Amino acid sequence: MTMNIKAVTTCFGYQQITSLSSASGLTIPVVTPDGLNGKPVFALIVAEGAPVRWRDDNTAPTASVGMPLAIGVPLQYDGDLNKIKFIEQSASAKLNISYYY
């Protein structure tokens, strides 16, 4: 499923996760850059440095079990942002995340 980023009206914030040696969730922003309260409904997630794995079924991924996300390939995620977790497949992985509503 592909979402059209131009259909998204407002950027809610950005996050970079640099520690992925154990399963990590997102730190979801609750205030927009303009100071408005709200909740993002969509995240654009890109791995950098090393591939990662993710799961969103309340089970932590491992380096060998989970959905793979290759370096530089965007994951357009519109599921429950509180449930998705990531782990690096090898050392040096980072995630870059932009949140939208």
Side-chain angles (χ1 to χ4, degrees):
M1 173 170 102
T2 301
M3 298 181 91
N4 181 353
I5 197 76
K6 292 187 183 230
V8 178
T9 59
T10 303
C11 179
F12 211 93
Y14 170 83
Q15 173 186 14
Q16 185 177 71
I17 301 174
T18 58
S19 178
L20 291 162
S21 58
S22 60
S24 300
L26 302 175
T27 302
I28 303 161
V30 295
V31 178
T32 68
D34 298 331
L36 302 173
N37 291 331
K39 178 181 168 187
V41 296
F42 169 73
L44 182 61
I45 303 164
V46 179
E48 178 185 338
V52 300
R53 291 195 180 262
W54 63 273
R55 291 183 68 159
D56 62 354
D57 60 354
N58 282 330
T59 301
T62 68
S64 60
V65 177
M67 301 295 291
L69 179 60
I71 298 169
V73 177
L75 170 61
Q76 299 176 5
Y77 186 78
D78 68 346
D80 187 337
L81 295 173
N82 292 299
K83 291 185 179 179
I84 193 166
K85 305 276 188 265
F86 299 88
I87 194 166
E88 61 191 7
Q89 285 185 272
S90 59
S92 301
K94 296 179 190 174
L95 284 178
N96 295 291
I97 305 114
S98 287
Y99 298 94
Y100 300 91
Y101 75 102

